[in-house]
Amino acid sequence: MTVLSTKTFIRTKPAQPQRRRRRLGPGPAIPFGLQLGPALLLILWAAGSGLGLIDPRILSAPWTVIATFGQLIADGRLQDHLGTSTLRAASGLAIGLVIGTVLAIVSGLSRFGEAIIDGPVQIKRAVPTLALIPLLMLWFGIGEQMKIITITLAVIVPIYIHTHNALRSIDARYVELAETLDLTRWAFLREVVLPGALPGFMLGLRFAVTLAWVSLVVVEQVNATSGLGYMIGLARTYGQTEVIIVGVVVYAVLGLMSDAAVRLVERRALSWRRTLSH
Amino acid sequence: MASNAVPLKAVCTRDLYRGFAGRSVLSGIDINIAPGEFVALLGRSGSGKSTLLKALASLDHGVAGSGALHVPDNLSVVFQDARLLPWRNVLQNVTLGLTGADAAGRVILAEVGLQGRESAWPVELSGGEQQRVALARSLVREPELLLADEPFGALDALTRIRMHALLRELCVRRRPSVLLVTHDVDEAITLADRVLVLEDGRLIEDLTIDLGPERDHGTPRFGEIRRHLLARLGVGFH
């Protein structure tokens, strides 16, 4: 007990300023800290518009944007564009996901597969999607096919890279274990390889989902008659900054929402890891 | 099992040689292990213990070797780390690669004292519990030969004593042949029927432990065997 009280005594001492340790870490989290930056921007924007400091031809006022948003929803245009865009992004994502995963597994499990597949994917990774679009337009026209293929090509890369990396970094000890247990090749794949590579795949998926939306902007601005990118492009032609901002905000919300959705799936699928963070 | 003619040897090696990059790691190894016999293999680090165990388990891909090697097809390995798949629960780890073995898995988990933990994740278990799951995973396959590579080396002293008792009990009940690789002399004397000592890739000692089933560390004979084995390992007390 005496020892305990001595400790308490020593603990109270650093309250004196000259003995206080300098805090080097960032300190405790600020409540609503993440929302603070965007809120500040919003306030500056509203104040600038309200005081007439921002020319509405450069940037519409927040209330104009909100009114336009309501109007676009009321006449159903926003829903139409959003539907078209979502369908494109989802199709490209789904196809790219399957192709990327299959390529990663083939390349991750066989040296021959790696020799054939890895190089081309790395080359694709180094080429910006934007640079491929003229070629893809020549090959596949300017219709839906070209758009979905562009998104697919963009999505394949992160899925492949992260899944392949996860496959290759599966602990050799598990491989040894599988050998002593006489696992068949299929059982090895199902029990060890695929679950082991799942964290990498989920990381790739998060990048892929974001990339699908980003690629959408590109393909829809190049040549389209519908979709969010088309809506933004048209608004640019007519100088309607409020519509452009509605489009940008919708993109941002879509991106954040789909990332949150993937993280939710990730937590479910990797529940065996969750116990670690407790 | 009982209907089969009892083979004379579960393990038999003749003039076994293994080498890495031209340097010999094991040479002239002759080992016989009878069915149901518990053999401990002692040796300092680098003496070739793990190489020998890997050779017996056919895990030494790409290692140069020669000599005759007969081991049962049905053998299991227990590693120093429990080596449980973190993404499979306890029961799934035990029955890994087996079909329709859930009932047997539950029985063996109860035998190692983990009844009720079937659906726990490996990360939720203590080191001793994880190693018990690994033991269950090996034994559920009813191996004729159990190869154990310092299975208790990473456990604390108290847990290790409990695991010794458990392993003895399981071996009495299930009668596999066992080769236990260890560097713990007391562990070897406590558990084994026979102790082999490996030095620089050669067997230099083959000692039958003439103690009864009750192995009391305090008896003079235990101390005598310990001193003898320690001397063979190059740790002499004068």
Side-chain angles (χ1 to χ4, degrees):
Chain A
M1 284 301 109
T2 337
V3 178
L4 200 75
S5 57
T6 317
K7 261 191 180 164
T8 327
F9 175 68
I10 291 170
R11 283 237 180 96
T12 54
K13 247 200 151 175
Q16 291 168 5
Q18 67 267 37
R19 296 200 51 170
R20 184 173 283 163
R21 286 255 182 258
R22 180 177 292 117
R23 185 203 283 279
L24 295 174
I30 303 167
F32 301 105
L34 269 177
Q35 284 85 354
L36 217 58
L40 195 66
L41 272 180
L42 211 58
I43 290 167
L44 283 175
W45 178 21
S49 298
L51 297 171
L53 296 173
I54 301 174
D55 185 344
R57 282 171 303 178
I58 303 289
L59 184 63
S60 303
W63 38 90
T64 320
V65 172
I66 292 167
T68 310
F69 184 72
Q71 212 181 323
L72 283 171
I73 288 186
D75 60 19
R77 270 195 290 162
L78 188 61
Q79 291 93 313
D80 278 353
H81 291 310
L82 187 60
T84 317
S85 290
T86 308
L87 190 64
R88 283 174 189 150
S91 314
L93 184 65
I95 301 168
L97 216 66
V98 173
I99 297 178
T101 309
V102 169
L103 288 180
I105 290 176
V106 172
S107 164
L109 294 185
S110 86
R111 292 286 172 197
F112 187 72
E114 187 175 36
I116 301 291
I117 293 168
D118 200 57
V121 178
Q122 299 292 345
I123 292 170
K124 165 65 191 70
R125 187 182 161 209
V127 177
T129 308
L130 206 55
L132 281 179
I133 286 180
L135 206 54
L136 292 171
M137 279 168 72
L138 278 177
W139 290 347
F140 303 107
I142 53 168
E144 287 305 294
Q145 206 184 4
M146 179 276 284
K147 296 183 182 70
I148 291 173
I149 287 173
T150 309
I151 298 172
T152 301
L153 283 175
V155 162
I156 286 174
V157 173
I159 292 283
Y160 171 86
I161 300 277
H162 292 283
T163 310
H164 178 254
N165 181 45
L167 282 168
R168 274 293 147 94
S169 43
I170 284 178
D171 202 326
R173 298 174 313 135
Y174 294 140
V175 181
E176 200 177 61
L177 172 73
E179 287 175 8
T180 68
L181 297 180
D182 274 330
L183 292 194
T184 59
R185 196 158 265 281
W186 166 238
F188 176 57
L189 201 66
R190 195 187 55 223
E191 302 289 337
V192 181
V193 174
L194 295 183
L198 195 57
F201 170 81
M202 295 309 290
L203 183 63
L205 184 59
R206 280 181 68 185
F207 283 112
V209 167
T210 314
L211 211 54
W213 290 118
V214 171
S215 313
L216 196 66
V217 190
V218 176
V219 292
E220 288 186 342
Q221 302 235 11
V222 168
N223 206 311
T225 52
S226 63
L228 283 173
Y230 167 73
M231 187 183 88
I232 293 175
L234 202 65
R236 187 200 57 206
T237 316
Y238 294 124
Q240 299 167 306
T241 52
E242 68 276 13
V243 177
I244 297 178
I245 295 193
V246 168
V248 168
V249 169
V250 169
Y251 272 135
V253 170
L254 284 175
L256 289 175
M257 268 176 22
S258 37
D259 193 57
V262 177
R263 272 192 291 183
L264 193 73
V265 172
E266 190 177 22
R267 267 215 300 281
R268 287 273 169 90
L270 305 178
S271 55
W272 56 270
R273 285 212 306 196
R274 193 168 39 169
T275 45
L276 280 176
S277 54
H278 280 181
Chain B
M1 269 173 278
S3 60
N4 292 352
V6 178
L8 282 172
K9 289 157 189 156
V11 177
C12 174
T13 75
R14 283 292 167 271
D15 200 22
L16 200 67
Y17 169 87
R18 290 292 184 271
F20 294 108
R23 195 175 61 87
S24 109
V25 178
L26 295 173
S27 58
I29 302 284
D30 296 339
I31 293 179
N32 297 312
I33 299 176
E37 191 182 18
F38 196 127
V39 176
L41 179 68
L42 278 171
R44 284 184 283 181
S45 357
S47 57
K49 300 191 299 277
S50 291
T51 308
L52 179 54
L53 186 122
K54 286 210 162 134
L56 294 179
S58 319
L59 286 174
D60 50 352
H61 311 295
V63 177
S66 62
L69 172 64
H70 295 285
V71 286
D73 285 336
N74 187 4
L75 65 82
S76 293
V77 182
V78 183
F79 301 94
Q80 178 168 5
D81 56 311
R83 218 167 280 200
L84 305 178
L85 299 177
W87 46 81
R88 291 283 181 258
N89 70 27
V90 165
L91 183 62
Q92 288 167 336
N93 263 289
V94 169
T95 59
L96 190 62
L98 304 173
T99 43
D102 277 13
R106 285 173 201 281
V107 169
I108 189 82
L109 276 171
E111 274 185 57
V112 300
L114 287 174
Q115 199 162 25
R117 306 301 305 273
E118 288 86 354
S119 52
W121 295 117
V123 287
E124 296 172 308
L125 304 181
S126 70
E129 287 172 328
Q130 292 186 14
Q131 201 54 287
R132 279 191 268 164
V133 176
L135 207 53
R137 179 181 59 200
S138 282
L139 291 174
V140 79
R141 282 146 232 272
E142 306 199 330
E144 288 168 60
L145 173 63
L146 183 67
L147 297 168
D149 190 2
E150 302 190 24
F152 313 129
L155 302 180
D156 66 87
L158 291 175
T159 309
R160 201 178 308 157
I161 292 170
R162 254 186 246 130
M163 292 294 286
H164 288 164
L166 176 66
L167 181 59
R168 268 172 71 115
E169 197 184 300
L170 289 168
C171 287
V172 165
R173 201 174 311 154
R174 300 192 170 236
R175 303 300 298 165
S177 305
V178 182
L179 182 73
L180 171 80
V181 169
T182 178
H183 52 243
D184 181 340
V185 173
D186 282 9
E187 180 171 288
I189 307 172
T190 306
L191 293 172
D193 303 318
R194 198 149 58 87
V195 176
L196 307 174
V197 178
L198 197 64
E199 186 186 270
D200 294 335
R202 292 181 172 277
L203 285 175
I204 56 161
E205 179 71 67
D206 184 343
L207 182 72
T208 302
I209 305 296
D210 50 0
L211 298 167
E214 291 306 315
R215 307 267 164 105
D216 185 348
H217 289 216
T219 61
R221 181 65 189 139
F222 195 105
E224 222 170 281
I225 297 172
R226 177 202 284 139
R227 266 192 303 280
H228 174 73
L229 287 173
L230 282 171
R232 297 300 265 151
L233 288 163
V235 189
F237 293 107
H238 304 286

